[in-house]
Amino acid sequence: MLKYRLLWGGLFYKKLRLVLSVIGIIIGVSSLLLMNAFGEAAKIRTLKEIETFGPEVLMVVAGNVRVSAGRAIQTEITTTLKPEDAEALQKIGGIRFISPYFTGDAIVRFAGNTLSTILNGVNEEYLILRKFSLEEGRNFLKDEILSYKKVVILGNKVKAQLFGKENPVGQTILINKLPFKVIGVLSPIGIDASNADQDDQVLIPYTIAISAVYNVDYIRGIFISVEDPSNLHFIEKQIDSILSKRHKVTEKNKDFTIVKAEDILQAKTQTTNLFSSLVKSISVLCLVVGALGVTAIMTLAVNERKKEIGIRKAIGAKERDILLQFLIESVIITLLGGIIGVVLGVVLTLILLPLFNYPLIFPVIPILTSTGLTIIFGIFAGVYPSYKASKVDPIVLLRSF
């Protein structure tokens, strides 16, 4: 019983000092847990984003495109990619779906409501190719694409802003002052691998987009889905060869870029892993600093409690008992900080992940990692002061009092 009283008495001998040493552990553990959770959530979000731009999909973009930080950034736009190029690529064996596309800004109006959104001109294979499902209505018909029909499919946010909870199918809206009949509404999609909000868009036939809405003779790109992802690189070479011949360009002055899902995924994963590793390193450093703080506090406590140690050893306490007492004290201090840090980290995770639009996950592995590291650092933090306390000579010490 005396042993436990001495233990608790030693822990709370200097309350402010105890609080300060615990704070370092709390910061280290909570930040480590939080950053682990963000890292895992980022991986899940990246995989979810890439679902609509899967491993079997590639994109031909007019101009030069650079993949940076998981985003396809267009550095140069050209007007040389034509609908006829998409028709020429359809002859390649192994292509499952293909859709020309043209994208631009649009002003959409209905019943006094006006909003600015993104317009994407596509064909009837685009929704299947991108794995977009419909909440209401239907997909485009091939005849509607070929006959320049003014029909539109609304993104989920556009539908909500224009119609609220009302079913818009069959209604007529104005897109850049031209009337379009609503034939469908996309299910909620969110942000995809291109970092575009797929709920904030309207889809119309690409034929009417380039002829009537924007009055151009070119397209912005071509989406392609292959039957077998293992043949992707072979088909990519064929696409490159056909378009280079059609455009009369070489590798040096090429006016198009082929972007694959794996390029975006690889770049985004590298960026996420780099950021996650950097923050984890800082978090572990916080834990090390916290552990060094505990070591300093415990060493100071040994110097201040030499009389207590001397008396205990004089009445029969062994070096092992003294060593164990101070080791337990340091572990309890770090565990106290660790438990508070875990609770704080979990609370922050539950608040911040949804706030920054990350998928909500319960960080089981980060909790176990943080707890394990806390115990390890606690043991290491207490080794030196515990050893120093166990080596106190009671005869020399008591003689000085």
Side-chain angles (χ1 to χ4, degrees):
M1 195 68 176
L2 177 62
K3 185 191 297 184
Y4 295 113
R5 284 182 180 177
L6 287 170
L7 177 62
W8 290 111
L11 280 172
F12 296 101
Y13 178 64
K14 297 283 186 180
K15 293 183 178 64
L16 180 60
R17 192 186 293 165
L18 174 67
V19 170
L20 291 174
S21 60
V22 166
I23 284 174
I25 301 295
I26 292 173
I27 293 172
V29 171
S30 59
S31 58
L32 183 64
L33 191 152
L34 188 62
M35 289 307 107
N36 269 284
F38 262 99
E40 291 301 316
K43 289 177 184 176
I44 293 171
R45 189 171 79 168
T46 299
L47 291 173
K48 186 178 179 182
E49 288 173 356
I50 215 74
E51 279 179 4
T52 61
F53 198 82
E56 78 283 359
V57 176
L58 53 82
M59 184 170 53
V60 179
V61 183
N64 293 326
V65 174
R66 176 172 53 88
V67 178
S68 176
R71 299 181 185 182
I73 301 170
Q74 194 155 10
T75 56
E76 181 188 359
I77 298 174
T78 62
T79 59
T80 53
L81 197 63
K82 309 292 184 179
E84 292 77 21
D85 290 323
E87 293 173 10
L89 296 181
Q90 283 181 324
K91 298 173 184 178
I92 298 174
I95 288 181
R96 189 177 182 188
F97 301 112
I98 186 167
S99 174
Y101 79 91
F102 187 94
T103 186
D105 297 326
I107 302 297
V108 183
R109 294 182 176 88
F110 176 77
N113 295 323
T114 303
L115 61 92
S116 176
T117 187
I118 300 297
L119 182 148
N120 285 312
V122 297
N123 70 6
E124 75 284 357
E125 295 184 1
Y126 181 77
L127 294 189
I128 307 168
L129 186 152
R130 295 297 306 274
K131 303 182 181 70
F132 290 168
S133 61
L134 289 166
E135 188 175 75
E136 295 173 293
R138 61 172 177 82
N139 190 9
F140 299 115
L141 302 175
K142 189 171 185 177
D143 179 63
E144 290 172 332
I145 306 296
L146 298 176
S147 58
Y148 298 75
K149 293 289 184 181
K150 292 187 179 72
V151 289
V152 61
I153 296 174
L154 304 180
N156 211 267
K157 283 184 181 178
V158 176
K159 177 259 182 182
Q161 290 174 345
L162 289 181
F163 294 92
K165 295 182 179 179
E166 182 186 346
N167 187 349
V169 175
Q171 299 282 3
T172 299
I173 65 172
L174 294 178
I175 300 177
N176 290 2
K177 298 182 180 181
L178 295 175
F180 281 79
K181 181 181 178 182
V182 179
I183 61 168
V185 177
L186 292 173
S187 299
I189 301 165
I191 297 173
D192 70 353
S194 64
N195 209 47
D197 187 353
Q198 297 299 320
D199 296 324
D200 186 12
Q201 67 169 326
V202 292
L203 302 177
I204 66 172
Y206 79 91
T207 48
I208 197 71
I210 63 176
S211 62
V213 180
Y214 296 104
N215 192 27
V216 295
D217 65 347
Y218 58 88
I219 55 179
R220 296 291 189 196
I222 305 167
F223 273 96
I224 298 168
S225 173
V226 302
E227 294 175 353
D228 185 358
S230 63
N231 293 329
L232 192 67
H233 292 286
F234 176 69
I235 292 173
E236 180 187 0
K237 289 180 180 179
Q238 288 184 281
I239 293 170
D240 186 85
S241 176
I242 291 172
L243 291 181
S244 295
K245 287 177 182 177
R246 288 180 62 84
H247 294 194
K248 297 180 174 60
V249 294
T250 63
E251 193 67 33
K252 291 182 179 179
N253 64 344
K254 194 180 292 184
D255 58 355
F256 62 91
T257 307
I258 300 173
V259 181
K260 302 187 295 297
E262 65 182 62
D263 298 330
I264 298 174
L265 180 61
Q266 185 178 11
K268 184 165 282 193
T269 303
Q270 285 175 349
T271 304
T272 302
N273 289 342
L274 180 63
F275 174 76
S276 182
S277 299
L278 179 63
V279 178
K280 284 177 186 177
S281 300
I282 295 171
S283 302
V284 172
L285 187 61
C286 288
L287 267 179
V288 171
V289 171
L292 290 175
V294 173
T295 302
I297 295 296
M298 293 302 298
T299 304
L300 196 58
V302 169
N303 293 331
E304 291 177 345
R305 293 161 61 190
K306 281 184 177 179
K307 186 176 180 180
E308 170 201 322
I309 297 167
I311 293 171
R312 285 197 64 197
K313 294 190 78 172
I315 60 175
K318 298 178 181 178
E319 286 188 2
R320 183 182 61 188
D321 298 326
I322 304 297
L323 180 72
L324 192 61
Q325 177 190 336
F326 279 87
L327 197 59
I328 289 172
E329 284 185 20
S330 66
V331 171
I332 288 176
I333 290 172
T334 50
L335 268 181
L336 179 63
I339 291 168
I340 297 172
V342 165
V343 172
L344 180 63
V346 169
V347 171
L348 289 174
T349 297
L350 296 176
I351 294 172
L352 294 178
L353 284 181
L355 191 64
F356 289 97
N357 296 318
Y358 280 86
L360 187 60
I361 60 168
F362 189 75
V364 177
I365 294 176
I367 288 174
L368 296 176
T369 303
S370 300
T371 305
L373 284 174
T374 302
I375 295 170
I376 291 169
F377 280 120
I379 293 170
F380 277 107
V383 168
Y384 172 71
S386 302
Y387 176 78
K388 186 176 179 181
S390 68
K391 293 302 178 183
V392 169
D393 189 339
I395 299 173
V396 174
L397 185 63
L398 294 175
R399 192 181 292 164
S400 64
F401 287 102

